[in-house]
Each structure stands twice: as structure tokens, then as C-alpha cells.
Amino acid sequence: MAMDQIAHKFIQVNGLKLHVAEIGSESSPAVIFLHGFPEIWFTWRHQMIALAKAGFRAIAPDFRGYGLSDSPEEPEKASFTDLVNDTASILDSLAISKVFVIGKDFGAIVAYPLALQYPEKVAGIITLGLPFMPPGAFTEQFVLPDGFYPRRWQEPGRAEADFGRFDVKTVVRNIYILFSQSELQIAHENQEIMDLVKPSTPLPSWFTEEDIETYAAAFEKSGFRTALQVPYRTLNTVGSEVQDPKVEVPTTVIIGEAEYLLKIPGMGEYIKSGEVKKYVPNQETIYVPHGSHFLPEQFPDKVNELVINYLNCHKHLVVV
């Protein structure tokens, strides 16, 4: 199986036409992949092909306002709840009654509420980079440092002015370079986030110019309006969906040992201390040596192995 066997379709969902990539038999257990930022369905290309070969149906949408999906009429009103409901509607449109959910980066912040709000639809969850986010996650528990990019990008107009100094390809390139680091990338008071990358800095070895072209073309189409709203300008709502949340399905969190998100104050301790299990009691955490924020693209074979092992252990939970 190869990239050209991935099928592409558009599904009318909640008033928008959303792009969905898909590979694998409709009679196979279904897996839906939820991307992060600055990502699209393409982020999951290695996993989609491997899962289809292993006997699963792999589905990867572009969230509203990302990639080939329509943007909402008022991007500044978009929310995580919209993405949760869009995902549920995509599953309904594809006549999938139960699914495994794999979310990376803020895709994890969509995966867990999907299980809380539509428990009948979710058989299990794998997230990469982020665990379950507790109530008040980014307002009370994980207070982000000043100058850290999410804090900067929460300010209306600031990222727009910063990004606007460069072409889209350079913006995407800089973000991939920044997010591949193992430390929090923090700007000084008189500095913008794009200034943290020297123009001569090379791409990570596992990321090609062709990959950057694909991402840049997607953001040329969509722009960054919705992407800055969700996740960054709605972070204060994370963890507010359900009172006393508990996700009972089997869950695996896969985190690179060099994942910079582990350096957010309190985040590493929250995972390692087991506090996260108050909310997700059936969670296993797996650390990948040398792994960065972009595990599916940096170490695709390792991620494929971990994901397929999990799915083979739990596929009895999905009745096709």
C-alpha cells in the first residue's frame, strides 16, 4: 500500500464541508486520527498505510479551518467543542458506530472529550505528546510561562503580525524547527516567536522539503485564523466539558523523552506521579527515547508498532 491508495472525500458536517482521508476496508475495525498544530491529515500518512496493511480502517480528517476543510464563517468563535462535535458527526456520516481514537498534540484535547461526551462511540484512545487535560488545565494547573508561544499567540493580532513578516512556508518551517526542540521556546519581551529561529537552521533530518511544501500548501489555503483560535485562544476552556470527568476506556499515552511539553510547569509530574489516573484509570504511558514532539513523522516505525500492538490487544472492543 502507498500514498496513492489513500482516498480523499468531503463530508458535509455541521454546515461545513470537511476533508477526510481514508484507507482500509470498510469492514475492518475503524481508527480515527486527530492532528495537532501546524498539522493536517498528512501528519498521519505513515500510520494510515501501516494500519491498513494490518487490517484496520484508518480515517484522518482535517479539522475545520485546517487543510482542505472549510473554515467556519466566524473563526474567532470556533471552539474545541466544535471539533468534538465535528468528529462525532464524521463518524455518523461514515456509519461508524464505534472507533479507536488517536490524537496528537491538541488532537488529544479533542479525543478525551469525545469519549466523555459520546462514550458509546469510543472503544479506546491513544494520544501522543499530551495526556488527558484536567479541569482548569491551563488556567490553574499548568500555568504557561510568559513569552512561551501559546501565551504569545493567545493575544489577538500578535501572531498574525509575527507570521505576516514571512511567507507561509517559512512560518511552517520555523514552527517545525521550534517544536522539534526539547526545551520550551520562550521569547524575550522585545522578541517575537518567529525570531527564535535563525534562517540558516536546517529542518530536522526526518522532515523533507517536500513535506514542508505539503503543509505550506495546506495553510496557504486555510490561513491561520481558525488554527490560532483553536487551540491557542481557547486554551482557557480546556477541561471544562464535563464535571468530575472519568475516561474508562483503555488508553495509551506515547510521549517522546525529548518532548518539550513535558517541560511545561507541572506537566511531567502530573503524568509521572500518576495523578492523571484520577481521570483516566486505565492508562499506560510509554516513553520513546530521543522522541520529539513529532513522533509520528520522526519515528514512524516505532509509533506504528506501538499503535498496532494496542489495537490488536483491544480490537475485540469494536464490533464491525
Side-chain angles (χ1 to χ4, degrees):
M1 286 184 177
M3 285 286 286
D4 60 6
Q5 290 181 268
I6 296 175
H8 297 267
K9 63 178 75 170
F10 290 89
I11 298 176
Q12 198 71 26
V13 169
N14 301 326
L16 299 174
K17 201 169 61 176
L18 300 187
H19 169 247
V20 177
E22 182 176 358
I23 188 171
S25 167
E26 289 187 10
S27 62
S28 298
V31 182
I32 193 164
F33 290 92
L34 306 178
H35 64 76
F37 177 89
E39 296 168 341
I40 52 173
W41 75 270
F42 181 75
T43 301
W44 301 109
R45 59 199 178 280
H46 305 297
Q47 287 69 48
M48 293 179 74
I49 292 166
L51 262 63
K53 283 182 182 170
F56 295 91
R57 179 184 183 187
I59 300 147
D62 290 337
F63 284 131
R64 58 171 59 197
Y66 283 78
L68 298 176
S69 289
D70 285 350
S71 295
E73 277 188 30
E74 298 179 276
E76 290 72 24
K77 292 185 177 176
S79 69
F80 280 106
T81 299
D82 291 332
L83 305 191
V84 172
N85 292 335
D86 287 349
T87 305
S89 297
I90 287 169
L91 295 174
D92 289 342
S93 178
L94 295 174
I96 295 169
S97 58
K98 211 165 187 88
V99 71
F100 291 103
V101 184
I102 302 182
K104 178 189 171 295
D105 184 61
F106 85 83
I109 303 176
V110 179
Y112 293 108
L114 183 73
L116 290 167
Q117 294 173 45
Y118 298 93
E120 73 287 354
K121 292 184 186 299
V122 177
I125 298 172
I126 298 174
T127 61
L128 294 99
L130 273 180
F132 176 88
M133 290 288 101
F138 294 108
T139 52
E140 299 162 25
Q141 189 151 357
F142 311 122
V143 179
L144 302 174
D146 287 336
F148 187 32
Y149 75 88
R151 287 286 293 273
R152 287 291 180 86
W153 294 351
Q154 282 173 341
E155 299 176 35
R158 187 151 191 178
E160 288 87 337
D162 186 13
F163 293 2
R165 297 177 294 150
F166 305 94
D167 60 48
V168 170
K169 185 177 176 183
T170 301
V171 172
V172 175
R173 171 190 290 273
N174 286 354
I175 293 170
Y176 259 87
I177 290 168
L178 278 177
F179 290 12
S180 299
Q181 315 286 325
S182 60
E183 300 298 323
L184 298 185
Q185 298 298 306
I186 295 177
H188 299 303
E189 197 173 330
N190 61 348
Q191 189 181 36
E192 297 303 324
I193 298 302
M194 289 291 110
D195 299 330
L196 294 172
V197 182
K198 292 181 181 148
S200 59
T201 308
L203 282 171
S205 60
W206 40 265
F207 205 66
T208 69
E209 287 293 335
E210 290 76 18
D211 295 336
I212 282 286
E213 292 280 0
T214 300
Y215 284 107
F219 282 96
E220 288 277 5
K221 178 198 174 291
S222 67
F224 291 100
R225 278 181 72 189
T226 310
L228 287 167
Q229 173 67 13
V230 187
Y232 302 106
R233 293 170 188 166
T234 42
L235 279 179
N236 62 342
T237 68
V238 170
S240 62
E241 303 87 4
V242 174
Q243 291 233 307
D244 303 319
K246 190 161 278 192
V247 177
E248 300 283 5
V249 296
T251 301
T252 293
V253 178
I254 304 171
I255 304 181
E257 287 184 349
E259 167 65 73
Y260 72 88
L261 294 175
L262 288 172
K263 305 283 176 66
I264 291 173
M267 182 71 74
E269 297 77 25
Y270 168 70
I271 300 167
K272 287 175 180 166
S273 70
E275 185 188 346
V276 64
K277 291 201 172 190
K278 287 196 310 195
Y279 308 105
V280 191
N282 299 313
Q283 177 179 301
E284 177 186 12
T285 304
I286 299 171
Y287 292 93
V288 177
H290 314 295
S292 75
H293 185 65
F294 297 107
L295 280 178
E297 293 169 293
Q298 181 187 14
F299 292 126
D301 293 343
K302 182 62 178 173
V303 171
N304 296 347
E305 176 195 336
L306 293 171
V307 167
I308 290 168
N309 284 348
Y310 169 93
L311 293 172
N312 282 334
C313 284
H314 299 293
K315 64 184 176 186
H316 63 280
L317 299 174
V318 174
V319 178
V320 178

